[in-house]
Amino acid sequence: MEKKISPLDVAMKQVDIAAQKLNLEPGLYEKIKQTKRDLIVHFPVKMDDGRIRVFTGYRVQHNMTRGPGKGGIRYHPDVDLDEVRALAMWMTWKAAVVNIPFGGAKGGVRCDPKSMSIQELENMTRRFTWEIAMMIGPDKDIPAPDVYTNPQVMAWIMDTYSTLKGYTVHGVVTGKPLELGGSLGRYEATGKGVFVTALEAIKQRKIKIHGARVVVQGCGNVGGIAAQYFDKAGAKVIAISDSRGGVYNKKGLNISEVLDCKKKYSCVISKKIKLGDEISNEELLELNCDILVPSALENQITEKNASKIKAKIITEGANGPTTPDADRILFEKNVFLVPDILANAGGVTVSYFEWVQNLQELLWSEEEISDRLTRIMKRSFAEVFNISRREKVDMRTAALILGIGRVAEATKLRGIYP
Ligand code: NAD
């Protein structure tokens, strides 16, 4: 059997590459490589048939030197401590790359949400919130949506936490519904950030957005929204997929039809509507295109398929879709890769706006949020790009140099207690 690539090994290798470039002193290196706090909980949930099932959940805080922990909660059958630790670490670097005052955290429950009813998901979410309540809070650690969690799940977390406290605590989660203190533009934020950084990247490759061929893996919050932005800007989204496979049309897909199909049938492939030719997720990654947007899970582009990638630009909507071996191959092939900790940082950026609005009990306009987000994404892209030029390294190493460098500097300034 093929050995599963560990996301934590990938995250550690990335730290090693950047730490060498930064010439980090050994103690500092040891500190930033470790997660600060890992909580594992096993908790009972009453299912619809009256039986009790025990689920395993995690909340990991990697580093809180620059501010409270921030990171999503994932519901997926493959969630384990290793993955959550890697995702928490990437959150630390990401918040530092876009220079917002958060540390990195992540959480998840090992479960198959597709096989659970709404009531079971609510029961599981509320009990999980209770289990991790001692770790989270607006000043401590603020969860948000990730794979297979959404604004409704955030509403349940906020309600459970508020009930425990005895008063409404808006700022305990971000990505909430608008009616409960959510922010305008949060739902679109990650996809929009992916699009904005792709626009910056295509300038470097002298490609025009109008008519550019785009391939998107994953049709959820990140991939679906990014596809809409590319489509609106005149690009041709020629393929898009979800966990069951993808659809392909070399003339360009009708994205609103694809998203309607996904909404109606929970799938981009349907016997009822012919959207394009069926294609596997593996084939999709290797399509001839200008921009590839992996927006599903980790370890999609590896040593095995990197040499077959034909995209000129890769903009990582997902966290950890590319392994370090694949990074090396893509760099040698002159593929311009915008790494996850930059490309998908729009989500955490507007989460930060949501948190600020909650703490100040203010509401910002959609325009204000969109302008601030675009400014931060463009500025961060320019900073990372300049480092990549100066140090003659790929964009991932440059982003890690920026992110890890900022965390290291903050650690030195705070010093070690006692
Ligand atoms: P989501 O649950 O909204 O969507 C996930 C999509 O991926 C779904 O369409 C699902 O069918 C598809 N998918 C699942 N397994 C797949 C597979 N093996 N192959 C192809 N497609 C598959 O989740 P999301 O919020 O869009 O998150 C997607 C990625 O983006 C994750 O890596 C997540 O960590 C990252 N991310 C999300 C946010 C955010 O704000 N939601 C922010 C930054 C990064």
Side-chain angles (χ1 to χ4, degrees), residues 74 146 148 186 190 219-222 242-243 281 295-296 317-319:
R74 178 174 292 196
D146 192 75
Y148 298 145
R186 173 60 186 91
T190 312
C219 187
N221 176 238
V222 180
D242 59 26
S243 56
N281 265 299
S295 305
N319 287 307

Side-chain angles (χ1 to χ4, degrees), residues 20 42 136 202 221 240 274 296 373:
Q20 246 182 1
H42 307 285
I136 60 172
I202 66 171
N221 176 238
I240 191 162
K274 172 94 175 142
L373 170 64

Side-chain angles (χ1 to χ4, degrees), residues 164-381:
L164 284 171
K165 287 281 166 190
Y167 51 89
T168 298
V169 188
H170 286 117
V172 65
V173 280
T174 58
K176 296 179 290 294
L178 286 180
E179 296 80 353
L180 293 175
S183 175
L184 290 166
R186 173 60 186 91
Y187 191 71
E188 297 78 15
T190 312
K192 182 176 171 134
V194 165
F195 173 69
V196 171
T197 55
L199 284 186
E200 296 303 297
I202 66 171
K203 287 184 201 157
Q204 300 307 323
R205 284 287 183 271
K206 311 243 177 317
I207 298 168
K208 287 206 171 60
I209 189 67
H210 200 271
R213 293 156 309 153
V214 181
V215 168
V216 182
Q217 187 194 40
C219 187
N221 176 238
V222 180
I225 300 277
Q228 269 181 319
Y229 276 101
F230 283 110
D231 185 55
K232 265 195 230 149
K236 277 196 296 189
V237 180
I238 59 169
I240 191 162
S241 65
D242 59 26
S243 56
R244 290 174 224 184
V247 281
Y248 167 61
N249 180 345
K250 72 170 181 204
K251 291 194 184 129
L253 294 162
N254 182 328
I255 287 303
S256 50
E257 270 181 21
V258 171
L259 296 178
D260 281 351
C261 177
K262 177 78 183 162
K263 206 168 166 188
K264 230 169 162 177
Y265 306 112
S266 302
C267 190
V268 296
I269 306 167
S270 163
K271 296 254 176 305
K272 302 218 171 81
I273 321 171
K274 172 94 175 142
L275 297 164
D277 297 330
E278 280 187 36
I279 187 170
S280 71
N281 265 299
E282 293 73 30
E283 290 166 330
L284 173 134
L285 293 171
E286 295 168 17
L287 282 173
N288 197 353
C289 65
D290 297 300
I291 307 167
L292 173 64
V293 189
S295 305
L297 297 171
E298 299 94 62
N299 300 331
Q300 299 300 302
I301 307 175
T302 66
E303 197 178 15
K304 269 171 76 182
N305 62 355
S307 60
K308 297 184 210 145
I309 301 286
K310 296 176 197 74
K312 300 184 178 91
I313 291 165
I314 298 176
T315 314
E316 294 183 331
N319 287 307
T322 313
T323 64
D325 288 332
D327 270 336
R328 192 179 27 79
I329 297 167
L330 294 170
F331 190 53
E332 280 162 12
K333 272 167 60 95
N334 200 27
V335 176
F336 192 108
L337 186 143
V338 190
D340 46 8
I341 56 171
L342 169 63
N344 71 35
V348 75
T349 302
V350 179
S351 272
Y352 166 59
F353 299 163
E354 181 173 330
W355 179 73
V356 168
Q357 290 172 82
N358 290 160
L359 296 189
Q360 300 186 337
E361 298 184 25
L362 279 175
L363 296 176
W364 298 358
S365 71
E366 199 155 7
E367 200 183 10
E368 206 170 344
I369 287 160
S370 174
D371 288 351
R372 283 176 193 259
L373 170 64
T374 306
R375 248 193 338 262
I376 290 179
M377 295 308 292
K378 284 186 172 177
R379 181 197 69 207
S380 308
F381 183 97

Side-chain angles (χ1 to χ4, degrees), residues 122-143:
E122 178 174 349
N123 293 351
M124 185 183 80
T125 302
R126 288 188 183 278
R127 180 62 191 240
F128 176 58
T129 306
W130 185 85
E131 299 284 347
I132 64 167
M134 81 283 267
M135 249 171 107
I136 60 172
D139 302 320
K140 294 201 260 183
D141 180 358
I142 307 120

